[in-house]
Amino acid sequence: MKQIKLLPQFLNLIQQWRPCFADYRTHGRAVGFALSLLVCLGRRTISRAICAQQRQFQSWASDYKLFSLSRWSPRSLFDVVLKLALALVSKTQPVVIALDDTITRKTGHRIPNASTLRDPLSPAYHTNLVWALRFIQAVLLICPIDGIGAARAIPIAFNLAPPVPKPKKKKASNTTSADTNDKSDANVKKVGKKTTDPEWKQYYKMRRQQGLSAQGALLIQQIRSRLDAMADFAQRILWVVVDASYCNLTVLSRLPERTVLIGRTRKDIHLSALPEAQSGRGRRRSYGKDLGTPEQMRKDDSIPWQRASIFAAGRSHQLRYKSVGPVLWRRGAQRRPLRLIIIALWPITLTGIGSIATPLTCWSPIRLPIWFKCSKPTSIVGKSKSIRRTKKICSVSARLKSGPNKPSRTSLLFMSPLTPCFCWPPSNALA
């Protein structure tokens, strides 16, 4: 096999950033920072990157203006990466991306969009808070051509996703007190969250429009539009792998065309069958009979188990799963048909943790080959927090036997043992 040197390939990549900058000097400065941020010691800050270039005794004004005043878009830099990475995707495979949010810890309290966020490395018995910036990252998964082997993740988007600020709690004096000058705690009452307060009404409205799920749906739409701008990928199916935080009505209702969503959801959600055909007058039913929860379906012996060959933890495995669909999820997808995939108990061995039995459930809407990637195995029974703290990535690449059916609009959710998943293409695409 021919060896490829990393440095010439990286230089070839960043040299293609030239059209992203208005001036060649700005591009040269950006290339210098791209290299110095890789080799500088300690924290990757602008000052350390300048020192790595041995320009610490020169003026830093132009360097800081590159990040504050220069007119260039980070998305244009990722467009170059996406174009080169898509050349590695086989024509027989769908375009698969993984989407998740992450935080970068900060110390300065005047940093724009920084806020108090939950620490994902908190222990199970206590939630810690950190001062940080929140981002949504998307990576392109380059799967082996034969479908057997681990996938490589190439970053293609890194968008800032700040939370919507909450209104400050108001305090109102207690007028029933006889002594109006007394400002003790007994004479001051806090006004909590009231739906009648216009500030809280505006907050809930903005959270629905600009919350984490809404920003994730916007990023999916942007990636779909970037693929549509390429002639070779305009008609390719886009598979988006997410976790449970994006498995909701906000994301499912905003999926663009030719897009499949794979994600996790809870095991206790209630599902319904499609309504039967009705004749005569009257309003048509929106939902059929109740099918129970994914956990009940997993234990139901009347639903047969199927087998699929998957690659995980460095070797191939035989996986048992159930496929149920189409179904309806009233609160999560409303009238959009979904397909549920329930994965049987599967032992996973991780360094320092041992063997864990993990039942999984997910939804698969179409009959195309499906590659699953679990970026964070948080669904593992009883060990979710421990595995998250290890920062290990469990990638699963599974191919389900299927035919060449292509839905125009689909959403698929990936579930864990105790968590169900959904996908919603039209009912004819789920047949």
Side-chain angles (χ1 to χ4, degrees):
M1 181 181 295
K2 181 181 178 180
Q3 295 183 355
I4 300 178
K5 295 184 178 180
L6 181 59
L7 181 58
Q9 296 295 326
F10 183 70
L11 291 175
N12 179 45
L13 169 64
I14 58 182
Q15 287 300 328
Q16 298 186 37
W17 287 351
R18 176 62 188 87
C20 304
F21 299 92
D23 191 87
Y24 72 94
R25 293 170 295 183
T26 307
H27 171 250
R29 197 175 297 274
V31 170
F33 272 101
L35 293 172
S36 58
L37 288 173
L38 292 176
V39 300
C40 67
L41 303 177
R43 298 175 57 194
R44 266 58 175 178
T45 59
I46 298 177
S47 58
R48 288 181 181 268
I50 295 174
C51 295
Q53 301 177 55
Q54 297 183 358
R55 293 191 293 104
Q56 62 270 29
F57 300 110
Q58 302 177 14
S59 176
W60 294 9
S62 299
D63 297 317
Y64 278 91
K65 288 180 180 179
L66 171 66
F67 298 96
S68 59
L69 299 180
S70 297
R71 297 181 180 179
W72 57 276
S73 172
R75 175 179 171 178
S76 61
L77 305 182
F78 282 112
D79 286 340
V80 177
V81 179
L82 178 62
K83 184 178 179 180
L84 296 176
L86 286 175
L88 304 176
V89 179
S90 174
K91 295 182 179 180
T92 61
Q93 298 176 351
V95 179
V96 185
I97 67 170
L99 191 75
D100 200 3
D101 57 284
T102 183
I103 63 172
T104 57
R105 290 171 173 79
K106 298 296 179 181
T107 56
H109 289 271
R110 294 188 179 183
I111 300 176
N113 300 317
S115 59
T116 303
L117 302 173
R118 177 186 174 275
D119 186 3
L121 302 180
S122 301
Y125 54 85
H126 188 273
T127 299
N128 295 330
L129 301 178
V130 294
W131 184 256
L133 290 172
R134 187 175 66 183
F135 295 87
I136 297 181
Q137 182 181 13
V139 295
L140 177 66
L141 302 181
I142 308 297
C143 303
I145 298 179
D146 56 358
I148 304 300
R152 294 296 183 97
I154 308 297
I156 59 173
F158 198 75
N159 293 357
L160 183 65
V164 179
K166 288 185 178 181
K168 295 183 178 180
K169 293 183 178 181
K170 298 180 180 179
K171 292 184 179 181
S173 58
N174 191 351
T175 56
T176 59
S177 176
D179 188 5
T180 58
N181 295 326
D182 186 6
K183 298 184 181 296
S184 61
D185 294 341
N187 296 327
V188 177
K189 61 178 182 180
K190 295 183 179 179
V191 178
K193 304 177 183 178
K194 295 183 178 180
T195 56
T196 57
D197 193 338
E199 294 185 2
W200 282 100
K201 285 185 176 181
Q202 181 67 16
Y203 164 72
Y204 290 125
K205 180 180 178 181
M206 295 299 295
R207 193 174 65 173
R208 288 191 297 268
Q209 297 176 354
Q210 302 179 9
L212 182 62
S213 299
Q215 297 184 59
L218 178 61
L219 180 56
I220 295 174
Q221 295 173 1
Q222 293 176 353
I223 296 176
R224 178 71 263 182
S225 63
R226 291 160 66 181
L227 294 177
D228 292 341
M230 305 177 185
D232 297 338
F233 294 90
Q235 300 301 324
R236 296 281 291 272
I237 302 297
L238 174 64
W239 295 82
V240 183
V241 184
V242 298
D243 59 6
S245 58
Y246 300 95
C247 181
N248 49 50
L249 181 61
T250 302
V251 178
L252 294 176
S253 61
R254 303 182 186 184
L255 282 182
E257 300 292 332
R258 302 177 303 281
T259 303
V260 174
L261 183 67
I262 305 175
R264 298 185 300 112
T265 185
R266 304 188 317 272
K267 66 174 182 179
D268 57 351
I269 55 176
H270 290 274
L271 307 175
S272 303
L274 295 180
E276 299 179 356
Q278 297 177 241
S279 60
R281 303 175 60 182
R283 188 178 66 176
R284 297 294 183 265
R285 294 180 179 176
S286 300
Y287 304 96
K289 64 177 181 180
D290 183 38
L291 298 178
T293 64
E295 179 66 13
Q296 294 173 351
M297 296 181 188
R298 185 176 70 89
K299 300 178 180 179
D300 189 359
D301 296 334
S302 63
I303 303 176
W305 290 97
Q306 305 179 42
R307 291 186 176 273
S309 178
I310 69 166
F311 181 89
R315 61 189 182 90
S316 299
H317 302 266
Q318 286 295 322
L319 188 70
R320 293 193 308 139
Y321 69 95
K322 292 182 178 181
S323 179
V324 184
V327 297
L328 299 177
W329 182 21
R330 298 193 183 191
R331 300 191 62 180
Q334 294 182 350
R335 302 181 184 180
R336 300 173 180 86
L338 311 171
R339 179 172 295 275
L340 173 66
I341 297 179
I342 305 173
I343 302 178
L345 290 173
W346 176 40
I348 299 178
T349 302
L350 296 179
T351 304
I353 297 179
S355 181
I356 305 170
T358 310
L360 300 173
T361 10
C362 60
W363 298 95
S364 120
I366 63 178
R367 295 178 176 268
L368 283 177
I370 304 172
W371 290 264
F372 296 103
K373 176 176 175 62
C374 178
S375 59
K376 295 191 302 183
T378 57
S379 60
I380 294 181
V381 181
K383 295 291 184 180
S384 61
K385 301 296 182 181
S386 300
I387 294 176
R388 185 184 294 118
R389 288 199 300 271
T390 62
K391 294 185 178 181
K392 290 190 177 290
I393 296 178
C394 173
S395 61
V396 180
S397 130
R399 174 173 292 184
L400 303 183
K401 297 181 180 180
S402 50
N405 191 8
K406 296 181 179 180
S408 59
R409 187 175 182 180
T410 324
S411 72
L412 171 70
L413 306 174
F414 183 74
M415 274 189 61
S416 87
L418 302 181
T419 314
C421 312
F422 298 95
C423 58
W424 71 271
S427 57
N428 56 357
L430 285 170

